[in-house]
């Protein structure tokens, strides 16, 4: 089971042993994870080396392609002759001046407003999280390897993405989730006709079960035997950030972490763009965010450990609730090696941060985005991120999937009769009560001004 010889193949991250292309994620010699390695000379040639102005040619070839993650196909492990069936990715990147003003504090609001950006994967298609990117690549390989059934263990968003992409590609899907996942994420998997298996246990237990099933059945598990291909899809977040900043790398990125794959793959993306000459090489600091109730990576960074001590998750940030992250060791390395840091926030801070982002910039993110914003607030406050530095916050999922965490926060207004006089009366009463329209306490807590 292997695809034709191409410009990429699996290699052991530690001993360097080569494995060609096959559904496998662990080195049989040293049990380290496998990673996709590329022939960059070949990619340079594909993209336009030898022309008079190769950098310009490469950039033009990419930017003239359709606005989706597939414009970076040359840097992804896709099978020969692959034709994309879904326009995934190429989500907006934009300045967040009002959020910046809250995060950076008084004297520096205007400077920060110029330099803070949001990469908004809350609107990534088709299932409204960055997981659509990883699944798009994994399923391209699943088909090439001849699997007719794909599967995953998931904290929610991956389940949605695998189910939707499988439906589109005509593959059967088996999705394994912790039984107590958010209802919207369960429904948003079932609707695509996938087989959903709810397990009474934590994500880490679900994942262990999936490794056992993968040994038994000839199924393509996107985050088990297809994991090296899957995780490459995350690089497209990094490629797009650089392109959207005008082929320039930022000073800082803030990334929410579950398994720790996204953060290390954004780093790989920046390194690849530098290697190809598409951007000027420059140090970028990587900042990771977690929920305090499940913070194995940030705890390791803060205590100076290089290895993960597994935790038992207890947080509303379900999409990040992985107690034993597969790429934790490498995430720690990326954070420390770039001069970054990792923070974590409590569940109330996650909720305050979801509301802060919504009220300042009009973006409704799920709990993982609350983690990003809450951690960014702390990092500005600690002067680990400065107002004059170009900083990108990765908002990775959509708030409509986790509305249950906001239940009870907003009162249901009493209905009024459809009459102008009724409305006038209502308006008068409301203004007289002068209820603050915006939760100042929440804003100030997230901005670090008070509380
Ligand atoms: C999975 C997920 C993450 C974290 O991704 P890892 O690569 O596992 O670290 C972040 N945000 C959201 C919304 C996710 O679903
Ligand atoms: Zn090895």
């Amino acid at each position: 089971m292997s695809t034709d010889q191409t410009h990429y193949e699996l290699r052991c991250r530690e001993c360097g042993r080569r494995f060609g292309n096959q559904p496998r994620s662990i080195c049989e010699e040293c049990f380290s994870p496998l990673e996709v390695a590329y022939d960059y000379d070949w990619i340079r040639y594909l993209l336009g080396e030898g022309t008079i102005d190769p950098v310009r040619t490469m950039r033009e070839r990419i930017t003239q392609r359709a606005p989706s993650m597939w414009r970076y196909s040359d840097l992804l492990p896709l099978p020969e002759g692959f034709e994309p069936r879904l326009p995934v990715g190429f989500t907006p990147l934009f300045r967040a001046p009002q959020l910046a003003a809250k995060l950076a504090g008084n004297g520096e609001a205007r400077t920060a407003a110029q330099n803070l950006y949001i990469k908004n994967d809350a609107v990534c298609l088709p299932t409204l999280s960055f997981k659509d990117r990883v699944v798009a690549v994994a399923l391209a390989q699943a088909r090439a390897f001849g699997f007719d059934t794909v599967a995953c263990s998931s904290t929610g968003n991956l389940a949605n993405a695998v189910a939707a992409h499988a439906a589109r590609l005509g593959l059967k899907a088996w999705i394994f989730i912790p039984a107590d996942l958010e209802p919207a994420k369960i429904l948003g998997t079932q609707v695509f006709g996938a087989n959903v298996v709810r397990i009474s246990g934590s994500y880490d237990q679900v994942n262990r079960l999936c490794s056992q099933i993968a040994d038994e059945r000839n199924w393509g598990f996107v985050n088990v035997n297809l994991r090296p291909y899957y995780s490459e899809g995350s690089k497209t977040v990094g490629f797009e950030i650089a392109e959207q900043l005008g082929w320039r790398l930022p000073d800082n990125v803030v990334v929410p972490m579950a398994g720790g794959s996204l953060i290390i793959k954004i780093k790989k993306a920046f390194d690849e763009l530098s290697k190809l000459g598409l951007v000027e090489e420059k140090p970028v600091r990587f900042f990771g965010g977690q929920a305090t109730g499940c913070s194995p990576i940030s705890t390791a960074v803060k205590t100076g450990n290089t290895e993960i001590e597994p935790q038992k998750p207890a947080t509303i940030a379900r999409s990040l609730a992985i107690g034993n992250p597969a790429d934790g060791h490498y995430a720690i390395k990326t954070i420390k090696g770039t001069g970054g840091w990792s923070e974590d926030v409590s569940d109330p801070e996650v909720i305050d941060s979801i509301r802060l982002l919504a009220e300042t910039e009009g973006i409704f993110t799920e709990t993982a985005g609350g983690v990003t914003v809450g951690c960014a607030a702390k990092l500005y406050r600690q002067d680990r991120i400065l107002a004059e530095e170009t900083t990108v916050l990765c908002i990775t999922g959509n708030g409509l999937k986790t509305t249950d965490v906001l239940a009870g926060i907003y009162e249901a207004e009493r209905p009024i009769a459809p009459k102008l006089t009724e409305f006038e009366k209502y308006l008068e009463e409301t203004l007289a009560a002068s209820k603050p329209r915006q939760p100042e306490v929440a804003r100030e807590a997230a901005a670090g001004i008070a509380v």
Side-chain angles (χ1 to χ4, degrees):
M1 252 199 173
S2 75
T3 51
D4 296 336
Q5 195 50 47
T6 38
H7 62 283
Y8 60 86
E9 66 170 353
L10 299 181
R11 239 175 255 172
C12 174
R13 287 192 76 126
E14 297 303 327
C15 75
R17 203 186 139 151
R18 302 157 72 146
F19 288 86
N21 286 300
Q22 52 172 310
R24 158 186 289 278
S25 63
I26 302 287
C27 174
E28 62 195 10
E29 293 279 309
C30 73
F31 304 106
S32 300
L34 304 185
E35 186 179 35
V36 179
Y38 298 83
D39 177 349
Y40 291 107
D41 289 336
W42 177 244
I43 292 170
R44 226 178 259 124
Y45 168 76
L46 281 181
L47 276 171
E49 196 173 68
T51 58
I52 294 167
D53 186 347
V55 169
R56 199 172 142 194
T57 308
M58 282 192 277
R59 287 177 179 172
E60 276 176 7
R61 287 220 174 131
I62 292 168
T63 53
Q64 281 164 9
R65 292 174 184 161
S68 76
M69 64 178 262
W70 304 119
R71 67 213 264 129
Y72 295 103
S73 289
D74 305 289
L75 288 155
L76 294 173
L78 298 172
E80 274 311 322
F82 169 73
E83 292 283 344
R85 298 273 297 274
L86 276 168
V88 180
F90 216 75
T91 55
L93 177 105
F94 41 76
R95 283 203 176 85
Q98 287 154 152
L99 177 65
K102 293 287 172 190
L103 298 188
N106 293 344
E108 305 190 302
R110 287 184 59 182
T111 312
Q114 281 301 308
N115 297 309
L116 180 67
Y117 293 82
I118 282 170
K119 176 64 172 163
N120 188 16
D121 266 19
V123 295
C124 192
L125 292 175
T127 65
L128 308 180
S129 88
F130 94 94
K131 291 294 199 304
D132 285 316
R133 301 170 183 274
V134 288
V135 170
V137 176
L139 293 206
Q141 285 293 349
R143 275 161 61 102
F145 290 137
F147 292 115
D148 68 0
T149 302
V150 291
C152 69
S153 54
S154 173
T155 58
N157 286 313
L158 186 61
N160 298 168
V162 170
H165 289 243
R168 177 83 173 164
L169 298 176
L171 295 164
K172 286 175 271 199
W174 283 83
I175 312 289
F176 298 82
I177 51 169
D180 58 351
L181 222 51
E182 297 98 331
K185 285 184 177 163
I186 298 177
L187 183 76
T189 306
Q190 291 167 322
V191 73
F192 299 111
N195 301 287
V196 178
V197 186
R198 292 170 66 221
I199 311 284
S200 321
S202 68
Y203 170 82
D204 298 280
Q205 292 171 311
V206 176
N207 194 46
R208 211 166 310 129
L209 172 66
C210 285
S211 298
Q212 292 168 340
I213 301 171
D215 287 338
E216 296 290 315
R217 313 219 147 244
N218 192 31
W219 290 357
F221 273 87
V222 303
N223 54 347
V224 182
N225 50 0
L226 297 171
R227 187 171 178 89
Y229 301 102
Y230 149 101
S231 57
E232 287 291 291
S234 287
K235 289 192 309 188
T236 58
V237 176
F239 296 146
E240 292 173 16
I241 289 172
E243 181 188 335
Q244 291 168 318
L245 285 173
W247 297 107
R248 184 166 72 82
L249 299 182
D251 296 306
N252 311 304
V253 288
V254 185
V255 186
M257 303 182 296
S261 172
L262 176 60
I263 193 167
I264 65 177
K265 293 296 177 167
I266 295 177
K267 168 91 166 80
K268 186 176 183 186
F270 290 169
D271 290 347
E272 288 182 341
L273 294 180
S274 303
K275 205 173 313 197
L276 293 171
L278 279 158
V279 296
E280 205 172 298
E281 201 172 341
K282 153 179 170 183
V284 180
R285 281 178 295 272
F286 282 76
F287 295 93
Q290 296 207 288
T292 307
C294 181
S295 52
I297 305 176
S298 78
T299 301
V301 169
K302 287 174 169 180
T303 56
N305 280 348
T306 54
E307 298 304 330
I308 294 291
E309 272 188 45
Q311 292 182 2
K312 204 163 169 245
T315 170
I316 56 167
R318 304 303 309 271
S319 58
L320 304 181
I322 299 185
N324 191 10
D327 290 304
H329 166 75
Y330 297 103
I332 297 167
K333 234 168 129 173
T334 295
I335 291 165
K336 287 191 176 164
T338 62
W341 189 246
S342 185
E343 263 305 340
D344 49 78
V345 284
S346 69
D347 287 356
E349 285 173 307
V350 170
I351 291 170
D352 286 349
S353 303
I354 289 173
R355 300 173 74 189
L356 179 70
L357 180 63
E359 290 175 11
T360 53
E361 302 297 345
I363 296 164
F364 187 16
T365 183
E366 69 147 81
T367 47
V371 167
T372 302
V373 171
C375 289
K378 286 193 173 177
L379 294 163
Y380 272 98
R381 216 180 307 160
Q382 295 164 358
D383 286 335
R384 292 183 198 273
I385 293 181
L386 302 179
E388 64 268 26
E389 295 167 345
T390 303
T391 300
V392 177
L393 308 187
C394 293
I395 300 303
T396 47
N398 194 294
L400 293 173
K401 295 195 199 186
T402 61
T403 52
D404 37 328
V405 303
L406 300 176
I409 287 188
Y410 301 99
E411 307 163 29
E413 295 291 337
R414 104 188 131 77
I416 60 169
K419 290 192 183 125
L420 185 59
T421 49
E422 278 290 310
F423 173 67
E424 298 290 356
K425 206 169 109 214
Y426 175 84
L427 186 62
E428 210 165 282
E429 281 169 16
T430 307
L431 294 179
S434 72
K435 272 190 292 185
R437 197 182 60 82
Q438 294 168 336
E440 290 301 329
V441 175
R443 285 161 162 256
E444 287 173 6
I449 297 161
V451 182

